[in-house]
Amino acid sequence: MKILLLDKNHPLINAQLSEKGFVIEEDHVSTYSEVLDKIGYFDGVIIRSRIPIDESFLLKGKNLRFIARVGAGLENIDTEKAKQLGISIISSPEGNRDSVAEHVVGMLLVLTNRLFIASQEVKNGIWNREENRGDELLGKTFGIIGYGNMGKATAKRLSGFGLKVIFHDILPNLSDEFATQVSLDELKNQADILSLHIPITDDTFHLIDEKFISEMKKDFYFVNTARGKNVKTKDLVEAIKSGKIKGAALDVLEFEKSSFENLDYQNSDLEFLLNSEKVIVTPHIAGWSHQSKEKLAQVIVDKILREFG
């Protein structure tokens, strides 16, 4: 089988698949149209996010047997068309779930204890103790929307913090030793902290909007390491200004490019988030640890070999 690697990934992908007899070509620079011209010669393609795998791509890839996404989200792939054409879709959420979970906990602790603000103040000669009192996690209720790989790993990481962890998911009977499944209404009534761990779909686009926020019984902290478009930024900003959202930790933004490599555009809402003391923003790196780079690649290789080796 001939496989095209369209993004830079851990070298173990090339090494291990080549060892098993796969023919590997790496191309990290060709444009979408240039890739289209040659995709018909390949049996499989391994991607991150640089090239969209749309209907035209799939139809040109007349010999494609699989598309492997090094990561969790599949929004850049026309999965329905791929299924119609009998093309397998492979992803690797197991590979960066631990990295995401640790990032959630890290951002939350920085946010609730004003660690970044206090550190910057001291470095600038300002010694504010009263203004920088922390808000303890102990005794709070942590609400998760989406209890897949990322949600479960996050709940596991929180098990030693003395939090009550609840979650809502569209699939039933997922409760475990780390978290209890509840209805969405129950989550809205109980949660002091809300964390998203969902894909971007028609149903989850702008899930967090003015209506959703207003239905939260308590003022709450908000964490998003899922997708920026799960949140209507304008409504998020208004809720932070009003105090309904006490603080936000955002690893993803609505205004990212589809490749996640940079911001697509700026506006006043984004400027507010970037300048607010109540907001922490990181550049889509929750699943981007040194360890996850290798684990993501290994999961992909193992799944390819299991199905096509």
Side-chain angles (χ1 to χ4, degrees):
M1 292 181 69
K2 294 182 65 177
I3 300 177
L4 179 62
L5 276 62
L6 286 174
D7 297 273
K8 292 181 180 178
N9 284 296
H10 196 284
L12 73 80
I13 293 179
N14 194 327
Q16 292 186 18
L17 291 179
S18 296
E19 184 180 338
K20 294 295 184 179
F22 292 84
V23 178
I24 308 296
E25 178 179 324
E26 297 202 45
D27 183 350
H28 310 150
V29 297
S30 288
T31 64
Y32 171 83
S33 59
E34 289 170 339
V35 173
L36 239 58
D37 289 339
K38 64 179 180 180
I39 193 60
Y41 296 103
F42 292 91
D43 303 287
V45 60
I46 300 176
I47 63 166
R48 285 209 318 255
S49 304
R50 186 175 69 88
I51 299 291
I53 310 299
D54 57 14
E55 182 175 356
S56 296
F57 186 105
L58 295 170
L59 292 175
K60 283 281 190 177
K62 58 184 182 296
N63 292 315
L64 282 177
R65 296 176 63 188
F66 73 84
I67 298 160
R69 160 82 160 96
V70 183
L74 300 176
E75 64 266 32
N76 279 354
I77 303 172
D78 187 340
T79 54
E80 289 303 314
K81 189 63 180 180
K83 289 175 184 176
Q84 291 174 18
L85 296 171
I87 301 171
S88 293
I89 303 294
I90 300 169
S91 63
S92 55
E94 307 91 336
N96 63 352
R97 60 189 174 193
D98 297 314
S99 175
V100 169
E102 292 189 13
H103 198 88
V104 169
V105 175
M107 286 200 300
L108 187 59
L109 290 172
V110 170
L111 181 67
T112 57
N113 290 283
R114 295 174 57 88
L115 298 181
F116 181 76
I117 295 167
S119 175
Q120 289 298 110
E121 286 179 351
V122 173
K123 289 180 179 181
N124 287 307
I126 302 168
W127 190 266
N128 282 335
R129 298 183 67 227
E130 185 61 34
E131 294 86 344
N132 286 314
R133 283 187 183 272
D135 189 6
E136 295 181 11
L137 299 183
L138 181 67
K140 287 183 170 57
T141 297
F142 191 99
I144 294 171
I145 299 183
Y147 206 61
N149 281 281
M150 313 304 176
K152 290 178 183 177
T154 299
K156 185 176 181 179
R157 289 301 186 285
L158 292 168
S159 60
F161 281 86
L163 287 156
K164 177 183 178 182
V165 183
I166 59 176
F167 69 89
H168 174 71
D169 196 281
I170 59 174
L171 299 178
N173 305 317
L174 298 178
S175 293
D176 57 24
E177 62 187 301
F178 304 112
T180 301
Q181 188 161 8
V182 298
S183 69
L184 189 56
D185 285 340
E186 288 179 87
L187 186 143
K188 290 176 180 177
N189 283 333
Q190 296 184 41
D192 299 288
I193 303 159
L194 177 64
S195 185
L196 298 188
H197 299 278
I198 50 179
I200 187 69
T201 66
D202 290 342
D203 292 331
T204 64
F205 178 79
H206 282 180
L207 174 67
I208 308 303
D209 59 7
E210 181 181 15
K211 181 176 183 295
F212 188 106
I213 293 167
S214 69
E215 291 170 348
M216 294 288 287
K217 182 177 180 180
K218 303 177 185 178
D219 296 345
F220 65 101
Y221 293 101
F222 178 64
V223 184
N224 190 11
T225 55
R227 287 293 184 261
K229 288 181 173 59
N230 293 137
V231 180
K232 190 172 183 179
T233 305
K234 181 178 181 60
D235 295 351
L236 171 68
V237 166
E238 291 304 314
I240 294 170
K241 289 178 178 178
S242 73
K244 181 64 179 180
I245 292 181
K246 298 160 70 174
L250 309 172
D251 183 55
V252 291
L253 293 165
E254 184 177 2
F255 314 112
E256 291 179 71
K257 291 183 177 180
S258 60
S259 64
F260 310 132
E261 292 300 319
N262 211 324
L263 294 174
D264 200 17
Y265 64 95
Q266 294 195 347
N267 58 31
S268 59
D269 293 325
L270 177 60
E271 287 300 315
F272 173 85
L273 295 178
L274 297 180
N275 290 287
S276 173
E277 287 192 347
K278 294 182 178 180
V279 181
I280 294 173
V281 184
T282 53
H284 204 132
I285 56 171
W288 208 247
S289 69
H290 294 291
Q291 292 79 9
S292 71
K293 181 177 182 179
E294 180 173 354
K295 287 190 283 187
L296 284 165
Q298 191 63 63
V299 169
I300 284 294
V301 169
D302 292 344
K303 288 184 176 180
I304 291 172
L305 292 179
R306 192 177 305 130
E307 190 168 351
F308 300 100

